[in-house]
Amino acid sequence: MNLTAARMAFGGVEIAYRDSGAVDETPVVLVHGMGGDGHTWDRFARRLAQTGRRVIIPDLRGHGRSSHADSYRFDEFGADVLRLCEHLELSQVDLVGHSLGGYAVSCVAQERPELVRRLVIEECPLPLRSGDEELRLTRRFPTLPELWHATTSLIRHPRAVLAFDRSMTRTALEQFRKPNPEWWDRLADITAPTLVLRGGPGGMVDLAKLDVLLGLVADCTVTPFACGHSIHRDRHREFEAAVLPFLAVPCGIE
């Protein structure tokens, strides 16, 4: 698989991305989670490329080869992905996002529903809905599975961890503790068939909030997994078996 590395500059922020460049009316955009970079998708990208799909893999701001930024609001990550699609003059895309990347692609689907053909959200921690939840989260410490995930990420992908802008951590925690009713209100704007992947023990998807999401997104299904937060990493074959058919990619192609 040959991926061409390129950059897009907007508002003082450079977004690095890789593009397979294949002829494809509906490219697949793969968006990583916090603390990682686009290389987390390399195995899945190779599989997509084997089927003839065009694959585009950005590094989010403050990650990988993209520049650090003065601001890391969650909606800005989504805006960067949307600008990349507009920069590449894409008329339709399939979006796949893990964790923070899942939040980013959901924002794109809310803002530009006609752009998104299929939406896959993997293990995205769902935002708070009200102030009643805020106090409970501020008292919560990382679980052992979450700490283990961070440790194994450092071992497996040291380049991504070293490139990560650690100043983002404080901003992220503040946003996790702040209710985001606007995001919930805009879920009804998503028109793309949506697949939500949630982990088991060690996952970060609140099941009560997930039930609310299912009632707001018109065409949404959930596939559960027995692993933790990184399904595409730790259960890759099961991940492929769920996502490839959803993206209309035959699983039997090797």
Side-chain angles (χ1 to χ4, degrees), residues 13-132:
V13 178
E14 281 195 345
I15 300 298
Y17 65 95
R18 294 177 295 150
D19 187 347
S20 69
V23 177
D24 185 355
E25 292 182 358
T26 308
V28 184
V29 181
L30 304 174
V31 187
H32 65 84
M34 182 173 290
D37 66 15
H39 287 284
T40 188
W41 294 113
D42 284 355
R43 185 177 178 185
F44 187 55
R46 283 194 295 270
R47 185 60 182 273
L48 288 170
Q50 288 172 357
T51 70
R53 299 297 299 271
R54 179 181 177 185
V55 182
I56 300 165
I57 312 175
D59 288 343
L60 295 172
R61 60 171 62 197
H63 297 77
R65 295 179 301 110
S66 292
S67 66
H68 292 189
D70 294 330
S71 177
Y72 292 109
R73 295 196 317 272
F74 284 170
D75 61 317
E76 290 175 319
F77 292 107
D80 289 342
V81 175
L82 178 56
R83 289 187 190 109
L84 176 60
C85 293
E86 293 172 343
H87 172 74
L88 295 174
E89 299 181 342
L90 306 179
S91 59
Q92 191 174 59
V93 295
D94 289 344
L95 296 177
V96 181
H98 171 237
S99 195
L100 172 62
Y103 183 87
V105 297
S106 75
C107 291
V108 176
Q110 291 173 351
E111 184 69 23
R112 288 280 307 280
E114 77 285 356
L115 174 68
V116 184
R117 188 188 73 107
R118 292 284 189 276
L119 179 66
V120 179
I121 300 173
E122 176 197 353
E123 263 294 303
C124 174
L126 300 176
L128 297 178
R129 299 177 58 229
S130 70
D132 293 338

Side-chain angles (χ1 to χ4, degrees), residues 70-215:
D70 294 330
S71 177
Y72 292 109
R73 295 196 317 272
F74 284 170
D75 61 317
E76 290 175 319
F77 292 107
D80 289 342
V81 175
L82 178 56
R83 289 187 190 109
L84 176 60
C85 293
E86 293 172 343
H87 172 74
L88 295 174
E89 299 181 342
L90 306 179
S91 59
Q92 191 174 59
V93 295
D94 289 344
L95 296 177
V96 181
H98 171 237
S99 195
L100 172 62
Y103 183 87
V105 297
S106 75
C107 291
V108 176
Q110 291 173 351
E111 184 69 23
R112 288 280 307 280
E114 77 285 356
L115 174 68
V116 184
R117 188 188 73 107
R118 292 284 189 276
L119 179 66
V120 179
I121 300 173
E122 176 197 353
E123 263 294 303
C124 174
L126 300 176
L128 297 178
R129 299 177 58 229
S130 70
D132 293 338
E133 299 166 302
E134 186 172 0
L135 183 59
R136 293 198 298 272
L137 185 66
T138 56
R139 291 177 176 174
R140 180 181 179 276
F141 292 96
T143 64
L144 287 176
E146 290 166 3
L147 293 173
W148 174 250
H149 173 74
T151 301
T152 55
S153 294
L154 176 59
I155 295 170
R156 296 186 189 201
H157 305 289
R159 174 181 55 190
V161 176
L162 292 173
F164 173 60
D165 186 354
R166 287 160 183 76
S167 71
M168 190 186 312
T169 305
R170 178 182 57 81
T171 304
L173 287 174
E174 290 173 353
Q175 291 175 90
F176 277 128
R177 292 167 176 162
K178 182 179 179 181
N180 189 351
E182 181 180 0
W183 183 84
W184 288 96
D185 290 343
R186 298 196 67 185
L187 284 177
D189 295 335
I190 296 176
T191 59
T194 301
L195 175 63
V196 176
L197 310 178
R198 70 164 181 85
M204 297 187 184
V205 178
D206 183 290
L207 297 184
K209 294 192 188 76
L210 182 57
D211 283 341
V212 177
L213 181 146
L214 281 169

